[in-house]
Amino acid sequence: MQAYSLIAPAKINLYLEIIGDRPDGFHELVMILQSLELADRLDIQQGDNQNIQLYCDHPQVPTDETNLAYRAARLMCDTFPEVYANYGGVKIRIQKNIPVAAGLAGGSGNAAAVLVGIDLIWQLGLTRPELEDLAAKLGSDIPFCISGGTAIATGRGEKLDQLPPLDNIWVVLAKYKNLSISTPWAYKAYRQQYGDSYSNQAGIKSRTAKVHSNPLVKAVTHKDSQEIGKLIHNDLEKVVLPLYPQVAELKSAFAEGDVLGTMMSGSGPTVFALCESQEQAIALERQVRTKIGDPQLEFWVTKLSSNGIQIEP
Ligand code: C5P
């Protein structure tokens, strides 16, 4: 029986700019997305019946159709009904290392791994664009999670343009265990406050076309970590930080340390700091842990990664 172990990395945004409304109710975005070494592991194999069986070692992760990984398996069954009938269901085990509901695309990465895993066990031979099209049906950042690394993402976040790999920067992540922020709420609040400044269709086209001259893209291309740290940007901070002072204080605490830059990840509540070395990252974690002194605050030290979904040998 075919079985695969897959590694599904976490993701941060180095850049997130909201440039307009879309007819589908989503937002037009300009982003730079980045994979991390921090990753979940998924074991995927043929099931012993026609069901999708999902197991996870983390009590907060649902194992029904509310889990994106389950929905990814369902999408594969619906898209390839004859292959599904022939092979039967799938059994998926998720080993969670990425913090849950953190703004680090943990669920999206799991869904990407399920698409790649089922493609392998059913021997479908799907191309990267075919996998990305399926991924975009499940969520805006799932196509990125397949290839990972460093990429410009435009449109809803699903149109990707790969950048040269960036893996020489260390990252400290921090998140309050008891805090979660709704992504739809963050985008809705942004629209309410800043919708007046959104570009029209022509403006969206020209801003999207100009993305390659974005100074952060140049800094990434030149692997200039000092410049990268200075230029990271996230529009959603404008609505989240004023309403969640804990997140704002966490960012300020990181900014006092020896960092290249610090920012909220996605719609939060995780805050990350970029550091030049592992030593600096570990020292920063200690400094912020001591300064804030809240047992609810959890930390992870990791590194940028050039990998998307990886098959474990
Ligand atoms: O696509 P995904 O399910 O990850 O998006 C989560 C939510 O984030 C959406 O329901 C929407 O409210 C918001 N969003 C958006 N525009 C995007 C991506 C996400 O408004 N381009």
Side-chain angles (χ1 to χ4, degrees):
M1 194 183 280
Q2 294 269 49
Y4 287 91
S5 291
L6 299 164
I7 302 300
K11 176 218 84 178
I12 54 173
N13 295 69
L14 296 176
Y15 190 85
L16 192 165
E17 189 185 351
I18 300 170
I19 61 173
D21 264 327
R22 291 168 57 92
D24 59 11
F26 280 67
H27 286 87
E28 284 287 341
L29 305 174
V30 171
M31 299 190 285
I32 300 174
L33 306 178
Q34 174 66 53
S35 300
L36 300 179
E37 281 190 356
L38 176 70
D40 291 340
R41 182 195 151 116
L42 286 89
D43 294 305
I44 302 182
Q45 64 181 83
Q46 250 171 270
D48 30 29
N49 52 41
Q50 287 297 116
N51 296 331
I52 297 164
Q53 295 165 270
L54 183 64
Y55 306 92
C56 184
D57 61 355
H58 193 298
Q60 255 176 282
V61 174
T63 52
D64 59 11
E65 62 282 353
T66 59
N67 188 314
L68 268 177
Y70 188 102
R71 292 222 290 275
R74 171 60 51 211
L75 178 66
M76 291 299 269
C77 298
D78 293 347
T79 310
F80 304 100
E82 281 162 25
V83 191
Y84 169 45
N86 183 30
Y87 278 93
V90 287
K91 206 185 265 184
I92 304 160
R93 279 183 197 282
I94 305 174
Q95 195 181 302
K96 268 275 155 210
N97 302 308
I98 304 171
V100 175
L104 296 169
S108 297
N110 292 175
V114 169
L115 297 179
V116 172
I118 294 180
D119 175 46
L120 288 167
I121 59 172
W122 288 356
Q123 300 180 56
L124 293 166
L126 296 177
T127 62
R128 196 49 64 95
E130 284 168 340
L131 281 168
E132 287 178 359
D133 282 349
L134 287 165
K137 291 185 180 162
L138 295 163
S140 309
D141 55 6
I142 304 179
F144 168 77
C145 294
I146 294 175
S147 302
T150 310
I152 295 171
T154 53
R156 201 159 56 91
E158 84 292 10
K159 287 188 200 139
L160 301 172
D161 200 348
Q162 209 71 28
L163 289 171
L166 198 63
D167 48 18
N168 56 336
I169 296 177
W170 285 81
V171 185
V172 185
L173 303 164
K175 176 188 177 285
Y176 285 96
K177 246 191 257 178
N178 50 354
L179 193 63
S180 71
I181 297 170
S182 150
T183 304
W185 166 81
Y187 278 99
K188 202 170 148 206
Y190 193 89
R191 182 183 280 131
Q192 276 164 0
Q193 286 185 47
Y194 299 99
D196 290 349
S197 64
Y198 284 179
S199 297
N200 58 19
Q201 282 310 309
I204 288 169
K205 262 197 173 163
S206 80
R207 283 174 81 178
T208 305
K210 276 194 217 130
V211 64
H212 286 273
S213 53
N214 181 314
L216 182 54
V217 172
K218 285 195 182 142
V220 167
T221 310
H222 293 116
K223 297 187 193 297
D224 183 340
S225 46
Q226 297 287 340
E227 277 300 293
I228 292 168
K230 277 188 220 149
L231 294 168
I232 53 176
H233 172 84
N234 181 355
D235 269 342
L236 291 173
E237 285 190 337
K238 293 185 219 163
V239 289
V240 176
L241 298 189
L243 233 86
Y244 292 88
Q246 273 181 308
V247 181
E249 281 161 23
L250 185 52
K251 186 179 165 183
S252 304
F254 272 138
E256 284 170 21
D258 191 3
V259 294
L260 295 164
T262 177
M263 195 171 85
M264 183 178 80
S265 178
S267 57
T270 301
V271 176
F272 69 83
L274 303 179
C275 295
E276 200 90 66
S277 68
Q278 186 176 19
E279 292 70 34
Q280 283 175 359
I282 292 169
L284 181 71
E285 183 208 320
R286 284 209 193 104
Q287 183 185 326
V288 175
R289 193 189 282 281
T290 309
K291 183 177 164 67
I292 297 185
D294 186 330
Q296 289 291 324
L297 189 57
E298 293 185 303
F299 291 86
W300 294 262
V301 173
T302 183
K303 215 181 161 199
L304 302 190
S305 158
S306 52
N307 293 329
I309 304 300
Q310 296 282 297
I311 305 166
E312 267 217 324

